Amino acid sequence: MRGTDNTPRTSPLVPDAVEAQIGRHEWEAIACGCGRDAGHLVDTLWAAAEGHPAAFRALEGHAFLSGRLHPPAPAVCGVLLAVWSAGPPRLATREALLWTLLALLGTEDDGSSHEAGLYGQCAAFVRAGLPSLRHAAATAPGTPTAAYVEGVEGLLGLDS
């Protein structure tokens, strides 16, 4: 991952696993929901990884909009789950991240049961992170975190 002056981009707030997840993707080769290439999302994802709650909401119109996913959605979802898995985000960041997962999962399913479309790819990332999401909900019953996780489970068809 390179900064604007071609030096490696680093942040003491971004764990190596998150940096690696951001760096896995050829963002410039992905069509963004706004009509440009998704390369401009890298800065937003770094801001999200650093814990800026507004960065998560800034993904609307790029990875998802009006109940539809756009091509960057699976890669964005992978980064979000890497942020979550890297350690418990602070409260405002946690709730913004969970809101974004709900927004991603609350879209139309563009795949079929035999084909992982954008929705299927996003759902797979979220399912892989469910144990830690459920743990966060179990340790904070009655909180927005628990409600968001319950919503995620409901959208995945896993609610009790």
Side-chain angles (χ1 to χ4, degrees):
M1 189 70 27
R2 301 264 174 216
T4 55
D5 62 356
N6 213 24
T7 58
R9 184 167 187 172
T10 61
S11 170
L13 301 174
V14 178
D16 291 343
V18 176
E19 182 179 344
Q21 185 66 24
I22 294 170
R24 286 186 61 208
H25 305 282
E26 292 292 330
W27 297 98
E28 291 80 12
I30 301 171
C32 187
C34 70
R36 303 183 322 196
D37 70 59
H40 68 282
L41 293 181
V42 172
D43 287 337
T44 303
L45 292 167
W46 271 86
E50 289 177 334
H52 303 288
F56 294 95
R57 294 198 183 256
L59 295 168
E60 188 169 10
H62 302 279
F64 60 94
L65 180 64
S66 301
R68 299 205 64 110
L69 293 176
H70 295 286
V76 165
C77 200
V79 172
L80 297 180
L81 269 294
V83 169
W84 184 273
S85 297
R90 63 188 175 91
L91 184 60
T93 302
R94 180 179 339 137
E95 290 178 2
L97 189 153
L98 290 169
W99 174 88
T100 307
L101 292 180
L102 276 174
L104 288 163
L105 293 174
T107 61
E108 293 180 27
D109 187 343
D110 64 322
S112 73
S113 60
H114 304 290
E115 171 185 347
L118 298 175
Y119 184 88
Q121 293 173 62
C122 290
F125 275 116
V126 176
R127 280 189 179 97
L130 267 177
S132 64
L133 293 171
R134 285 176 169 155
H135 175 74
T139 59
T143 65
T145 294
Y148 279 128
V149 173
E150 182 179 315
V152 165
E153 290 177 321
L155 288 170
L156 291 173
L158 302 172
D159 49 348
S160 321

